[in-house]
């Protein structure tokens, strides 16, 4: 399984506010399926970050495109494969 960091950059603050509850329910559903590892907003209002687990970027991008924020034009996204480090070898 690979990890993917998805930056959800702010496009429309009003739409983000309107669709926030739908977005969070969407992520909660994926968290229950062990697809979303963590998520949160940037405190400067620039948007947010979601860490997904998936086989490849294509699989994750299909999920991202189902996010109410993306569907409703509240946010744009940028997806990057992320190599999570849990321990350092010295």
């Amino acid at each position: 399984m690979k990890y993917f960091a998805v930056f959800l950059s702010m496009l429309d603050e009003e739409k983000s506010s309107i669709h926030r509850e739908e977005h969070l329910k969407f992520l909660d559903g994926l968290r229950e399926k062990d697809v979303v590892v963590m998520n949160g907003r940037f405190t400067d209002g620039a948007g947010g970050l979601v860490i997904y687990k998936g086989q490849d970027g294509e699989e994750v991008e299909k999920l991202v495109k189902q996010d109410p924020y993306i569907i409703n034009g509240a946010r744009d996204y940028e997806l990057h494969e992320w190599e999570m480090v849990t321990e350092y070898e010295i």
Side-chain angles (χ1 to χ4, degrees), residues 9-26:
S9 56
M10 184 68 69
L11 289 176
D12 187 312
E13 288 184 32
E14 184 178 350
K15 286 182 181 179
S16 288
S17 179
I18 291 168
H19 298 288
R20 179 171 165 58
E21 188 174 329
E22 293 171 73
H23 164 74
L24 294 175
K25 284 182 182 178
F26 171 76

Side-chain angles (χ1 to χ4, degrees), residues 22-87:
E22 293 171 73
H23 164 74
L24 294 175
K25 284 182 182 178
F26 171 76
L27 294 181
D28 283 345
L30 293 176
R31 181 176 279 107
E32 289 174 8
K33 296 176 182 175
D34 198 34
V35 173
V36 166
V37 177
M38 61 183 75
N39 63 283
R41 67 180 187 90
F42 297 124
T43 60
D44 65 359
L49 173 71
V50 182
I51 305 296
Y52 285 85
K53 285 197 291 190
Q55 294 296 322
D56 55 41
E58 189 176 305
E59 174 188 354
V60 172
E61 188 168 28
K62 286 179 185 177
L63 292 172
V64 172
K65 287 181 177 181
Q66 295 174 37
D67 187 323
Y69 272 172
I70 302 304
I71 291 170
N72 293 291
R75 306 279 179 98
D76 197 4
Y77 70 92
E78 188 176 320
L79 184 147
H80 298 272
E81 187 173 339
W82 182 53
E83 187 175 305
M84 183 168 61
V85 177
T86 57
E87 293 183 21

